[in-house]
Amino acid sequence: MAKETITVFDAQGRPREMARPGFDASDAVGFWDETNRQDWSVCERAQLGTASASYDRGRLSRLEWMTHIFDNFIADRLTRA
C-alpha cells in the first residue's frame, strides 16, 4: 500500500539581513533541497526494506552498531542532571 508524505519548507531569516540589497538565499535553499531530496530517497528505500521478509530489527540494522553507540552517547549526555 503506497503512502504519501508532504514536506513543507519555509525558509526564515533575519528581516534586516533579508532586506539588504543583493540578498540572495538561493544557495542555502538549493543546498537544503539537494540534501533533503537525497535523504528522502534513502528513507523511501529503507521503508521498502522493512517490508522484506528477512527484516527482523527495529530502527537500526545489525550493520549500524556504530550509530547505536553514538545514539546512546548522545542520550547519556542529554539525560545527565
Side-chain angles (χ1 to χ4, degrees):
M1 181 163 105
K3 295 189 179 190
E4 184 176 314
T5 300
I6 298 171
T7 303
V8 178
F9 170 65
D10 184 19
Q12 298 181 19
R14 294 184 173 160
R16 190 166 79 193
E17 293 298 318
M18 294 173 63
R20 291 174 59 189
F23 175 82
D24 181 9
S26 62
D27 58 338
V29 172
F31 179 73
W32 181 92
D33 186 58
E34 180 180 354
T35 56
N36 278 280
R37 287 182 188 279
Q38 293 168 356
D39 288 347
W40 300 334
S41 177
V42 169
C43 290
E44 288 170 358
R45 290 193 305 268
Q47 289 297 318
L48 290 172
T50 60
S52 167
S54 63
Y55 180 78
D56 69 348
R57 301 295 288 185
R59 62 186 177 88
L60 299 174
S61 75
R62 289 183 180 96
L63 300 174
E64 297 174 299
W65 59 270
M66 287 187 288
T67 303
H68 179 68
I69 291 170
F70 179 74
D71 286 352
N72 286 339
F73 172 81
I74 298 298
D76 288 346
R77 297 317 180 269
L78 292 174
T79 57
R80 285 185 182 171

